[in-house]
Amino acid sequence: MSTTFTIDTATSRATPTPAPMKRLTVPAVRARKGGEPLVMLTAYTVRMAQLMDPHCDMLLVGDSLGQVIYGLPSTLPVSVEMMCAHGAAVVRGSYHSLVVIDMPFGSYEASPEQAFATASRIMKETGAAAVKMEGGEAMAQTVSFLVARGIPVMGHVGLTPQAVNILGGHRVQGRDPAVAAKVLADTVAIDRAGAFAIVIEGVVEPIAIEATRAVSCPTIGIGASAECDGQVLVAEDMLGLFERTARFVKRYGAMADLVNEAAGAYAADVRSRAFPTPDQTYQPKD
Ligand code: KIV
C-alpha cells in the first residue's frame, strides 16, 4: 500500500504552506546538459524539503541519511524501508524539485529484476519520479532494463560510497591512470544505458571534465568540477551542521552554532524559571 499522503494545510506547521506547482521533469533536467547548472541538495525530512525546494532543481533523498540522520558508520546498513519513509516525507514537502531516491546497498545489484522490484516499490510508496543507483559498466544492463520499463535512473560513478570496502576507503578516484580510464568508461556506459543524469563523486578534476564532455546527459559533481552540468552536496554539510566534512564541502551556514546557542539559552531559561513567561502559559477565562 502507498504511504503517499499530501500535506494537510490545516495541520501543517509551515507558514505559508507551499502551494503545489508543476515539478521539474526528467526530460527538463536532461535538456539542461551544457546549459544553466543544475542545483541539487539532499533532503531527508519534510521541513528540510520545504526549505530547500524553492532553491533547487532536484532534491536527492540520499542513502547518506544512514550517517546524517541515523549515525550509522556507512551507507551499507540503510534499508529500502528507510528510503521509502524519508522519500515520501520529501515528496510531501516539495512542489518544484524533481525528487530522486537512492537505491540502498543490496537492493538492486543482484539482477535487473531485483532492481526493477525495488525501484518500482520506491516510486509507488513515495511518489518520487526517479531513482539513483551507484555503479558503472557492471550496472549498465540494469540501467537500460529499468529505463525501458519506465523508471528514470540517475547514475553515480567515481567514489561510490556503497563500494567503500572494495575502494578501501573514501578515496579520490582517478589519480591512477587505470582508475581514471575506468571512471571514464563507467560514465560513458551509464550514459549509453539511458541514465538521465550521472553523479560524479570524488574524482580528480580533469577526469570529471573529460567525463562530462564525453556524455550526452548532465553530470552532477560532488568533489569533481565546476564544469560538471550541476552540483550536489549533503544539505547538512552545506549548512554547517557537522565539524568534520570532506574537503569538497563548502559551508554556507553555521547551523551547529545556532543549535548550540538556542539550546543553551533554552536550558538557562528553564533552570532560572525564566521560561515559560505569561506569553507562553494559559490562564482561566474571566
Ligand atoms: O547519498 C548521498 O547523499 C549521495 C550524494 C552525496 C551524491 O549519494
Side-chain angles (χ1 to χ4, degrees):
M1 217 221 339
S2 170
T3 55
T4 309
F5 297 95
T6 50
I7 294 271
D8 178 347
T9 50
T11 57
S12 168
R13 294 165 105 105
T15 304
T17 299
M21 61 196 292
K22 199 172 169 347
R23 273 188 200 276
L24 215 67
T25 61
V26 163
V29 167
R30 203 177 219 301
R32 293 270 288 274
K33 175 75 185 173
E36 188 194 351
L38 288 155
V39 179
M40 183 158 89
L41 281 169
T42 60
Y44 318 119
T45 61
V46 69
R47 186 55 180 152
M48 287 300 260
Q50 287 172 333
L51 292 170
M52 303 291 166
D53 186 43
H55 306 282
C56 291
D57 299 305
M58 290 183 278
L59 291 175
L60 172 66
V61 187
D63 60 356
S64 52
L65 64 78
Q67 288 134 310
V68 176
I69 301 284
Y70 291 95
L72 295 168
S74 74
T75 57
L76 271 62
V78 171
S79 66
V80 177
E81 286 69 24
M82 287 155 93
M83 298 312 299
C84 285
H86 288 274
V90 168
V91 170
R92 274 197 289 281
S94 61
Y95 297 91
H96 158 73
S97 305
L98 177 76
V99 177
V100 182
I101 303 194
D102 249 337
M103 306 260 275
F105 178 67
S107 73
Y108 63 97
E109 303 90 330
S111 65
E113 288 78 8
Q114 184 205 24
F116 183 82
T118 303
S120 57
R121 176 179 168 194
I122 288 175
M123 290 174 77
K124 278 179 206 255
E125 292 194 13
T126 65
V131 295
K132 175 165 86 57
M133 68 171 68
E134 296 184 9
E137 285 178 294
M139 294 311 301
Q141 197 199 341
T142 297
V143 172
S144 49
F145 188 91
L146 262 53
V147 173
R149 286 158 181 78
I151 297 185
V153 178
M154 175 179 279
H156 185 158
V157 300
L159 198 179
T160 46
Q162 292 176 13
V164 63
N165 293 310
I166 293 281
L167 299 176
H170 293 91
R171 300 215 173 116
V172 175
Q173 302 292 296
R175 291 209 165 103
D176 173 283
V179 176
K182 179 170 168 19
V183 171
L184 272 176
D186 283 346
T187 317
V188 169
I190 295 300
D191 179 51
R192 291 207 179 129
F196 72 93
I198 303 174
V199 169
I200 301 183
E201 177 168 355
V203 168
V204 292
E205 183 163 35
I207 301 304
I209 294 173
E210 207 179 327
T212 296
R213 291 181 186 159
V215 296
S216 64
C217 72
T219 60
I220 313 292
I222 173 164
S225 171
E227 286 197 36
C228 290
D229 301 297
Q231 302 295 325
V232 60
L233 282 177
V234 168
E236 285 76 358
D237 288 343
M238 181 278 289
L239 291 167
L241 191 61
F242 296 108
E243 291 76 25
R244 291 171 60 198
T245 53
R247 185 173 118 79
F248 59 68
V249 171
K250 180 170 173 187
R251 289 193 184 89
Y252 288 85
M255 205 169 154
D257 295 342
L258 288 177
V259 173
N260 269 328
E261 279 162 30
Y266 167 74
D269 277 3
V270 170
R271 289 185 182 118
S272 65
R273 299 192 191 281
F275 172 84
T277 69
D279 284 347
Q280 291 102 27
T281 51
Y282 301 94
Q283 305 304 325
K285 286 209 168 92
D286 301 327

